[in-house]
Amino acid sequence: MAEMARELGKSVLKGENITKVFGYGKTRTEAVKKVNFDFHEGEVISIVGESGSGKTTIARMILGLITITEGTLLFNGQPRDISSGKKRKEYWKNIQAVFQDPFSSFNMFNKIDDLLLDCINMTGGKHKSDKEKFDMMTEACSFVNLKYAELTNKYPFELSGGQMQRLMIARIFLLKPKILIADEPTSMVDACSRATILDMLMKLRDEIGMTIIFITHDIGLAYYVSDSVYIMEHGAFVEAGPAEDVIIHPKADYTKRLISDVPKIYGEWDLSTVG
Amino acid sequence: MGKVMLEVNDLKTKYVTRFKEDVYAVDGVSLKIEEGKSLGVAGESGCGKSTLALSLIGYYFAPLHYMSGEIIIDGQNISGMKPDEVRKKVLGTEVAYIPQAAMNALNPTQKIIRFIEDVIQVHDKSLSKKDIYDMAVERFRILGLPPEVLQKHAVELSGGMKQRTVIAISTILSPKVLIADEPSSALDVTSQKMVIKMMRELMEKGFIKSMIFITHELPLLYNVTDDIMVMYAGQIVEHGTAKEMVFDPVHPYSKGLMGSIIVPEEGTRDVQLEAIPGTPPNLKHPPDGCRFAPRCKYAKPECKVYDVPEKEFEGHRMYRCIYDVDYLKEAYGRNG
Ligand SMILES: Nc1ncnc2c1ncn2[C@@H]1O[C@H](COP(=O)(O)OP(=O)(O)OP(=O)(O)O)[C@@H](O)[C@H]1O
Ligand SMILES: Nc1ncnc2c1ncn2[C@@H]1O[C@H](COP(=O)(O)OP(=O)(O)OP(=O)(O)O)[C@@H](O)[C@H]1O
Ligand SMILES: [Mg+2]
Ligand SMILES: [Mg+2]
């Protein structure tokens, strides 16, 4: 996967002192504290941290689903502007997300055909003939090893979790976004399906050159897929850099502890480090 | 050879669905665990791991049905017992069971000590609440759990603490076998490590005499259990020591599973992950012959016709494949 350090393209998303505060007074939570990042074209990034560290909050700010309390987000070198509905729609053509629970992000009452058709229409394919649309949907399904013929006229809840997760990737195949945020895409599947999903996402990255931001607490996954890794603790990045440096030669105590707690197969997994 | 704590011979169980269809989720499983030993069960989602656990503890409530085979716990054959009898005579004292997602099943309005009273009083009505409390405090202290937890409710505990508490409650009567189904999978890595450390202490202190640990996370199994057994479509396809299974698997399915391992260790990111194509079969209509054949890159036509028996090799190992061990190892060598 990472035989050689790939050359980084130009910056697509740059965060400067990004902060998110929820609530105020007694309920005030500073979920993200002055974080800085720079994600490049075609780069695979992992944001790693324990539960509640603020990973999803960063994702939601980048997606424009929640406001940024403080700081600047640059998209392609320009301050991101989603102040009008039109600009927002334009931005969302560039950025997409897949989530841990694929069922949560689909409208249960839309058939799978419509779901895939929407993707084609959203990316300027409205004028295409039915035959062309059919071919595109068939291609997208076969990319993720699903058979389109077996999905027509079905609803999302008729599929298994693994099939749904692959359907999410078929959607991304049609949408071809510049940036994909994958928030714990494999935390509900077994190790085998994890390998399948990662394989498909990386193939897609190679094919359309998109930037992928993995949000995960799976440190093995972060090491395997990423060019760069950001380690997050209590809302702040404690360490960031090339995957090899951060995971194999961690500097921060927090990163060291996190990595030492993951079960190993070559080195020793030292149980005496926990109380 | 140590004393055998759990012996299972050719166990077959099935689900009967609402539409009266049979799902053969445990189909001829045999295993043996000696005192002080632990066995891991691995396999993809839907291979029958949780069903095996339920079957082993005699939990035969609809839709799960016992068909045939023996389950012998420390010399006592429980296979013919009624589920209610199992609950009174077996659960807790002979075998303890931690179901998948157990910690979320604790009634949030009940104090932890009440759960312990419940577990104990099923077997022994003579103990006073004071006796039980003292016993629980002592056990929690030895296991490194703060005794204050006993007076708390489940909602007040963090995920990791809740799971360790569940395990401490379930093993309070020092059972012969502990069966834990994905006991640490929902936890962060540090809490997971604490759970594993506690399970090791249970074994070292003799509070459990043997263990079955179920998970699809192979690096975890490798560190926790003496032996590993790989399950596919309701059957055991390979059984060996943890080290043999991870570094020298023989069955093409085990080989495939090991190809999906990712660990944050130097050099591992340069090895291409290998995903097994396809998905496990629907157990309503398992394929003829070897069940893995439809997904196996080494399969030949005969594989899809003849049932493959379990074959022993190297004295203690077992696998279920038409090919010889040498042939398979050579094939893996060729494919790298
Ligand atoms: N809408 C909200 N209102 C108030 N607090 C919130 C909100 N969303 C998140 N938080 C808080 O912000 C912090 C970070 O949450 P976040 O969901 O980003 O963590 P995470 O790293 O994604 O965790 P996980 O691994 O569990 O998904 C937590 O303390 C959480 O309780
Ligand atoms: N109550 C049930 N009725 C009918 N079939 C069932 C029932 N529960 C499970 N099954 C089927 O039995 C098979 C084995 O399921 P089981 O839950 O034992 O798998 P598992 O290996 O534990 O999977 P996972 O890793 O997802 O926990 C599956 O094909 C499943 O669909
Ligand atoms: Mg999250
Ligand atoms: Mg299960």
Side-chain angles (χ1 to χ4, degrees):
Chain A
M1 206 111 287
E3 298 83 30
M4 57 196 116
R6 286 169 328 100
E7 270 184 40
L8 295 181
K10 64 179 177 42
S11 170
V12 285
L13 266 184
K14 187 168 180 181
E16 291 171 347
N17 292 318
I18 301 276
T19 297
K20 180 71 195 182
V21 177
F22 288 113
Y24 52 88
K26 264 199 187 143
T27 63
R28 186 175 187 280
T29 321
E30 209 175 349
V32 175
K33 301 168 189 165
K34 289 192 187 307
V35 299
N36 292 289
F37 52 83
D38 196 358
F39 304 152
H40 304 85
E41 234 167 39
E43 188 180 14
V44 178
I45 298 110
S46 288
I47 301 178
V48 178
E50 289 175 300
S51 193
S53 57
K55 306 180 297 292
T56 296
T57 304
I58 293 189
R60 292 172 69 210
M61 283 191 282
I62 292 175
L63 284 165
L65 299 175
I66 53 174
T67 58
I68 297 171
T69 309
E70 230 175 88
T72 318
L73 184 65
L74 302 174
F75 173 61
N76 287 333
Q78 300 294 319
R80 179 191 65 177
D81 184 2
I82 48 171
S83 53
S84 71
K86 193 160 166 259
K87 286 173 177 161
R88 190 176 284 261
K89 247 183 151 169
E90 200 51 44
Y91 179 64
W92 281 342
K93 276 190 191 154
N94 293 289
I95 185 157
Q96 283 293 327
V98 293
F99 295 102
Q100 169 176 3
D101 177 7
F103 293 96
S104 69
S105 34
F106 281 140
N107 181 345
M108 293 311 268
F109 305 108
N110 268 358
K111 282 190 187 156
I112 287 162
D113 318 50
D114 297 332
L115 204 138
L116 293 174
L117 265 182
D118 273 354
C119 298
I120 296 175
N121 293 338
M122 261 159 72
T123 47
K126 256 201 178 96
H127 63 278
K128 289 202 162 81
S129 71
D130 285 355
K131 168 82 173 73
E132 278 174 296
K133 288 179 182 172
F134 173 83
D135 288 346
M136 286 171 79
M137 292 192 285
T138 308
E139 189 194 2
C141 288
S142 75
F143 181 80
V144 295
N145 292 329
L146 289 173
K147 291 197 183 71
Y148 177 68
E150 287 172 12
L151 299 176
T152 49
N153 274 317
K154 286 217 169 117
Y155 289 93
F157 55 81
E158 295 178 69
L159 303 188
S160 74
Q163 285 177 316
M164 276 299 287
Q165 203 57 284
R166 282 184 282 154
L167 190 66
M168 296 288 289
I169 300 172
R171 252 185 94 241
I172 302 301
F173 179 90
L174 289 171
L175 292 168
K176 300 203 175 8
K178 292 204 85 65
I179 303 167
L180 174 69
I181 299 189
D183 192 350
E184 306 276 12
T186 62
S187 68
M188 305 217 308
V189 302
D190 64 46
C192 242
S193 312
R194 173 176 63 192
T196 309
I197 290 170
L198 293 181
D199 200 40
M200 286 169 180
L201 285 175
M202 298 316 273
K203 230 167 75 195
L204 201 49
R205 191 277 307 264
D206 292 341
E207 212 153 288
I208 63 183
M210 72 184 171
T211 304
I212 307 184
I213 305 162
F214 281 96
I215 298 212
T216 184
H217 50 243
D218 186 338
I219 296 159
L221 181 154
Y223 179 56
Y224 184 72
V225 297
S226 326
D227 299 304
S228 307
V229 175
Y230 290 73
I231 306 283
M232 193 164 194
E233 182 193 17
H234 302 317
F237 290 147
V238 294
E239 185 161 3
E244 196 72 22
D245 295 356
V246 174
I247 306 291
I248 304 301
H249 308 288
K251 290 192 188 65
D253 287 342
Y254 180 75
T255 318
K256 286 182 188 163
R257 198 209 80 206
L258 215 53
I259 292 166
S260 88
D261 285 348
V262 181
K264 311 282 187 310
I265 62 170
Y266 299 101
E268 198 204 346
W269 191 45
D270 182 6
L271 284 180
S272 71
T273 61
V274 292
Chain B
M1 204 171 122
K3 198 170 170 214
V4 176
M5 282 295 125
L6 175 65
E7 181 174 346
V8 178
N9 295 314
D10 204 18
L11 182 64
K12 296 188 181 182
T13 69
K14 66 177 178 186
Y15 291 108
V16 180
T17 69
R18 278 187 297 141
F19 309 107
K20 301 274 177 272
E21 292 163 309
D22 293 339
V23 178
Y24 300 100
V26 174
D27 196 5
V29 168
S30 302
L31 59 92
K32 213 179 254 184
I33 312 177
E34 291 167 30
E35 183 162 2
K37 298 286 183 196
S38 53
L39 170 65
V41 182
E44 281 165 290
S45 190
C47 280
K49 305 182 297 297
S50 297
T51 310
L52 175 62
L54 286 174
S55 303
L56 291 179
I57 63 163
Y59 194 88
Y60 296 115
F61 290 98
L64 184 61
H65 295 263
Y66 166 81
M67 293 167 67
S68 61
E70 290 180 317
I71 303 164
I72 303 162
I73 301 175
D74 194 17
Q76 185 189 9
N77 192 334
I78 69 156
S79 5
M81 281 189 191
K82 296 249 159 21
D84 284 326
E85 201 181 345
V86 166
R87 214 163 5 192
K88 283 199 204 84
K89 294 190 184 154
V90 177
L91 274 185
T93 51
E94 305 302 302
V95 43
Y97 168 58
I98 317 284
Q100 216 163 340
M103 63 186 197
N104 300 323
L106 282 184
N107 176 352
T109 62
Q110 189 164 315
K111 277 188 185 166
I112 300 301
I113 185 68
R114 297 285 107 76
F115 292 104
I116 299 181
E117 289 165 3
D118 290 348
V119 172
I120 293 179
Q121 282 170 345
V122 170
H123 299 278
D124 189 349
K125 293 224 163 37
S126 69
L127 285 176
S128 71
K129 285 197 170 180
K130 173 81 174 64
D131 293 338
I132 293 174
Y133 181 74
D134 291 344
M135 197 171 140
V137 167
E138 175 66 3
R139 179 63 66 89
F140 270 47
R141 195 186 53 72
I142 298 174
L143 294 176
L145 291 170
E148 301 87 80
V149 166
L150 291 167
Q151 300 299 345
K152 292 196 171 153
H153 298 88
V155 280
E156 300 173 73
L157 306 177
S158 71
M161 184 57 85
K162 225 186 323 191
Q163 188 65 319
R164 284 189 291 155
T165 302
V166 165
I167 297 171
I169 296 171
S170 314
T171 55
I172 194 87
L173 294 168
S174 305
K176 314 255 167 61
V177 188
L178 170 64
I179 300 179
D181 192 353
E182 303 276 8
S184 65
S185 301
L187 304 174
D188 62 55
V189 286
T190 309
S191 308
Q192 164 170 288
K193 207 173 183 182
M194 292 166 93
V195 165
I196 299 305
K197 191 175 181 190
M198 193 179 100
M199 294 175 88
R200 191 165 288 184
E201 271 161 16
L202 284 170
M203 192 80 113
E204 280 165 7
K205 304 258 152 59
F207 295 150
I208 56 174
K209 295 204 158 47
S210 64
M211 174 168 79
I212 291 188
F213 193 106
I214 298 172
T215 180
H216 63 263
E217 283 294 343
L218 286 153
L220 181 62
L221 270 193
Y222 177 72
N223 281 282
V224 173
T225 60
D226 298 300
D227 280 10
I228 294 179
M229 177 165 109
V230 168
M231 195 162 182
Y232 187 75
Q235 302 178 328
I236 308 305
V237 298
E238 189 171 350
H239 186 155
T241 66
K243 196 165 183 182
E244 289 161 348
M245 294 299 287
V246 170
F247 291 105
D248 181 31
V250 162
H251 193 284
Y253 180 62
S254 325
K255 177 78 183 164
L257 282 187
M258 304 312 153
S260 69
I261 289 181
I262 43 185
V263 282
E265 292 185 85
E266 194 159 10
T268 55
R269 71 201 298 254
D270 305 328
V271 181
Q272 180 69 41
L273 269 191
E274 249 192 88
I276 306 172
T279 48
N282 185 327
L283 295 177
K284 272 180 222 161
H285 313 285
D288 287 336
C290 167
R291 296 190 172 173
F292 184 59
R295 299 172 71 190
C296 180
K297 62 178 166 189
Y298 305 100
K300 50 184 176 183
E302 297 93 291
C303 295
K304 296 181 183 164
V305 181
Y306 305 110
D307 275 341
V308 189
E310 297 187 349
K311 301 199 247 177
E312 280 187 17
F313 69 111
E314 292 174 14
H316 63 284
R317 298 179 67 176
M318 183 283 283
Y319 77 119
R320 193 192 276 266
C321 174
I322 196 167
Y323 291 110
D324 292 340
V325 173
D326 290 342
Y327 174 87
L328 288 166
K329 286 192 181 176
E330 202 203 305
Y332 301 152
R334 257 183 281 126
N335 290 348

